[in-house]
Amino acid sequence: MPTQSQFTSRNVLNTHLGGIFWLGFWFYVVADWGRQQCQSTLVYVLPAPQLRIDPPSVTLYRGQSLRLRCLSSNNDHRYGPLGYSWSKNNQLFQSDPDTEFWEDLYPDGSILNIHNIQKSAEYSCIVSNMVAPVSKSVYITVIDKGVVELCPSDKLFGVQWPPSAPGPAVLADCPNHAAGQSRRICEQTDFAKPRWLQPDFSHCVPEHLGIIYNDFLEVTFGYQRSNTSVILQNTLEYAINRKDHFLPGEAAFLLRMLQEIHDYLDEVGSRCEREIASDTTLQILDIILKNEFSINNQQQVKHVQRLFLMAASNRESVATSGPKLAASTSNQLSSFRLHNTPVKALPFELQISGDQLFSDQLYLEINKGTTSLLDFVGNSSLSVTVISYRNLTSFLPHMYITRNRCVYASNNQQTIPMGFDMARVEMILQHNHSPTPEWVPVCGYDSSTNNQETWNTDMCLTENLLENITRCICPISGTYVVLLARQNYNRIGSLGENLR
């Protein structure tokens, strides 16, 4: 470049998504004709305040008083103190010594004194630093003495639950140094005597699992201190150690973490990494399904099924990336059966029975179908995978469901839906409950992409062979179930509507 000439270049380092992983010195190097100049800058990440309100949930009698404490545990004083304020029902209010009065604590925190409480309300502690404000809320339930009966104080799973009125979920700190808050509902029964429901720990992040998750985040930002195979192996060891000690819903964060790892590997992972991840994921899911408390709602059940689908699809897409499909394969862990068969020609038939389906039977038939389907078969890239669960329905109300099956056709991680004109699947399922004149067995269908807690009972044909044996004739791609429904049930609706 001539001596008198001038060249200007601008590069932007975008750090808004990096969080703490952008912390440190960044070097900028300019090279021109063999000469280099370096410049560095220090990127400091100021974390958001981590707030805690004590107590997290309160039930009071009208006219009582209360003191709320708002504390922050991670303030960096090099960048100034935190500012505290309070709001009531999302509205700022003036501090008044006679009714609602707050004062700051040293070095960080605030106390709100509330006198003569008359109405239920939500109070929020708002904390701000030089970056942005954050807030945390507590709902105060106010009742009249002698009018509403409370759920008594109770200690369960290491958490002390205070006397509480029926209504919104009661919050408490997660046990065993886990981050987040646990929840529990005091339910009003038909006999006017409330009762505690099972606690929910699905919003808790166990301390050790949080460390493993941070290792994964480091990998996604380019740090090479670990890799996904090591992270999944550490996750498997964590699951093995917790297999007999899961709290109700505790596996929720574990499922979300597995989902993020698989999404990451789908974008940047190698064939070997995806294969290892799929096998390890299946082992982790097997452990989760062995514990009756690990998951505690139907959305988590659906999440488990999606992860099974992803892991099975990844295993088969890796297997089909060679010159041709291998022979039929099976994966049999104690909580599920996974059977894969290549589709080498159309029409195609498959029959599975015995221990491969926990004593049930399955018959699958695929006709010639469309040109695209024939192309998949011609390229040796189509396979049929059947997942059979031993006890998945034990995580759902027993009065609704007795058996559960998932059947789908996979092609390089994609599910191929097929109608009755292209394929059909017959399943002969055994169930624990026998039909009665009022209750009849019905086959239900649920798409793997459906996040609603509903079953479509119009999709399949139902044949009751014996008292405890039902045949379902359905199109493939989805999850199938046998329901007991009233004679005059709503054909498409929630499980509760079907079985009332």
Side-chain angles (χ1 to χ4, degrees):
M1 183 179 292
T3 305
Q4 301 300 322
S5 64
Q6 186 176 15
F7 176 76
T8 302
S9 175
R10 174 179 294 177
N11 285 328
V12 177
L13 176 64
N14 192 339
T15 64
H16 73 285
L17 294 178
I20 195 171
F21 300 109
W22 290 108
L23 176 64
F25 283 96
W26 289 80
F27 292 89
Y28 186 83
V29 181
V30 177
D32 183 33
W33 290 86
R35 300 181 63 184
Q36 290 186 347
Q37 287 189 349
C38 301
Q39 185 68 40
S40 66
T41 184
L42 173 63
V43 176
Y44 183 80
V45 178
L46 185 63
Q50 300 296 314
L51 299 184
R52 168 190 170 93
I53 293 185
D54 185 38
S57 288
V58 189
T59 295
L60 296 175
Y61 292 119
R62 196 180 310 277
Q64 286 188 311
S65 299
L66 175 68
R67 170 175 289 185
L68 296 175
R69 295 177 178 85
C70 179
L71 305 174
S72 175
S73 60
N74 64 335
N75 183 31
D76 192 331
H77 293 276
R78 291 179 297 175
Y79 292 86
L82 297 178
Y84 289 83
S85 59
W86 291 83
S87 69
K88 178 180 180 181
N89 296 329
N90 296 320
Q91 299 292 326
L92 294 175
F93 60 90
Q94 294 292 330
S95 181
D96 184 347
D98 295 330
T99 55
E100 299 157 328
F101 173 75
W102 76 79
E103 54 185 332
D104 291 341
L105 298 174
Y106 180 84
D108 291 301
S110 179
I111 291 180
L112 174 64
N113 295 288
I114 311 172
H115 302 290
N116 191 25
I117 299 177
Q118 295 298 314
K119 293 182 179 180
S120 299
E122 181 182 62
Y123 287 87
S124 300
C125 176
I126 305 169
V127 182
S128 58
N129 58 15
M130 63 182 299
V131 178
V134 295
S135 65
K136 196 160 191 175
S137 302
V138 55
Y139 188 82
I140 301 175
T141 302
V142 178
I143 61 174
D144 291 317
K145 198 168 187 177
V147 176
V148 178
E149 188 172 353
L150 304 181
C151 285
S153 176
D154 183 37
K155 187 172 184 179
L156 188 62
F157 297 111
V159 177
Q160 184 67 49
W161 302 95
S164 302
V170 180
L171 306 181
D173 292 333
C174 294
N176 305 322
H177 308 289
Q181 289 184 318
S182 53
R183 290 164 166 76
R184 196 178 187 187
I185 292 178
C186 175
E187 181 187 60
Q188 184 69 54
T189 64
D190 295 336
F191 302 101
K193 188 174 181 64
R195 63 172 182 176
W196 284 112
L197 299 183
Q198 187 82 284
D200 177 15
F201 298 93
S202 60
H203 297 275
C204 295
V205 181
E207 184 177 26
H208 183 59
L209 192 59
I211 294 174
I212 298 175
Y213 179 69
N214 283 334
D215 291 340
F216 166 67
L217 292 181
E218 287 188 358
V219 171
T220 64
F221 283 98
Y223 292 91
Q224 298 181 359
R225 288 189 285 251
S226 185
N227 56 62
T228 54
S229 298
V230 172
I231 290 169
L232 281 170
Q233 187 61 39
N234 292 338
T235 306
L236 175 60
E237 293 176 3
Y238 166 83
I240 292 173
N241 292 331
R242 294 293 297 169
K243 65 179 181 180
D244 297 323
H245 309 287
F246 277 112
L247 301 177
E250 182 186 333
F253 180 79
L254 179 56
L255 297 177
R256 295 194 295 269
M257 177 176 162
L258 291 175
Q259 182 75 52
E260 289 189 33
I261 293 175
H262 276 269
D263 291 343
Y264 172 75
L265 289 177
D266 282 344
E267 292 185 7
V268 302
S270 66
R271 170 183 169 184
C272 180
E273 287 177 319
R274 294 199 309 272
E275 183 176 16
I276 294 174
S278 297
D279 288 336
T280 308
T281 297
L282 290 175
Q283 295 179 60
I284 296 172
L285 294 175
D286 180 60
I287 293 172
I288 290 175
L289 292 184
K290 289 177 182 177
N291 187 287
E292 61 177 326
F293 292 123
S294 58
I295 54 180
N296 63 353
N297 61 57
Q298 189 164 341
Q299 290 304 313
Q300 292 174 17
V301 172
K302 287 178 175 287
H303 203 169
V304 167
Q305 292 176 277
R306 288 196 298 270
L307 285 168
F308 265 111
L309 175 61
M310 293 174 60
S313 298
N314 275 331
R315 290 176 82 249
E316 302 317 321
S317 66
V318 170
T320 60
S321 60
K324 62 179 180 179
L325 281 169
S328 299
T329 60
S330 295
N331 192 331
Q332 298 191 10
L333 294 177
S334 60
S335 65
F336 72 94
R337 299 286 187 265
L338 191 156
H339 184 87
N340 177 266
T341 301
V343 179
K344 298 181 178 179
L346 294 179
F348 170 81
E349 295 182 359
L350 173 66
Q351 186 167 355
I352 307 175
S353 61
D355 187 57
Q356 292 182 351
L357 281 184
F358 298 112
S359 301
D360 292 328
Q361 299 178 36
L362 178 139
Y363 173 76
L364 171 68
E365 178 184 280
I366 302 179
N367 299 319
K368 289 187 177 181
T370 62
T371 302
S372 60
L373 186 61
L374 291 172
D375 290 339
F376 288 140
V377 175
N379 294 331
S380 297
S381 59
L382 183 68
S383 64
V384 171
T385 300
V386 179
I387 303 174
S388 177
Y389 304 99
R390 178 191 294 274
N391 65 337
L392 188 64
T393 53
S394 66
F395 297 100
L396 299 174
H398 288 284
M399 64 176 294
Y400 293 163
I401 302 173
T402 56
R403 296 293 287 184
N404 197 329
R405 293 289 177 265
C406 176
V407 183
Y408 60 92
S410 65
N411 171 61
N412 294 336
Q413 305 174 28
Q414 294 182 355
T415 299
I416 305 174
M418 303 178 189
F420 274 112
D421 58 333
M422 295 172 57
R424 69 187 179 96
V425 57
E426 292 186 15
M427 292 164 286
I428 299 178
L429 306 177
Q430 301 182 44
H431 41 86
N432 298 327
H433 300 282
S434 300
T436 66
E438 185 179 6
W439 295 85
V440 295
V442 176
C443 297
Y445 165 83
D446 179 33
S447 167
S448 60
T449 60
N450 180 13
N451 291 321
Q452 302 298 320
E453 297 184 6
T454 59
W455 295 95
N456 186 329
T457 53
D458 281 337
M459 188 67 69
C460 302
L461 301 178
T462 303
E463 295 181 6
N464 187 221
L465 303 181
L466 295 173
E467 282 192 354
N468 66 331
I469 297 179
T470 299
R471 173 189 283 134
C472 299
I473 305 175
C474 312
I476 63 175
S477 185
T479 300
Y480 298 97
V481 64
V482 174
L483 307 169
L484 278 180
R486 284 187 183 275
Q487 289 280 13
N488 297 320
Y489 64 91
N490 181 15
R491 293 294 294 179
I492 301 179
S494 69
L495 295 180
E497 293 172 346
N498 283 344
L499 296 178
R500 276 203 297 268

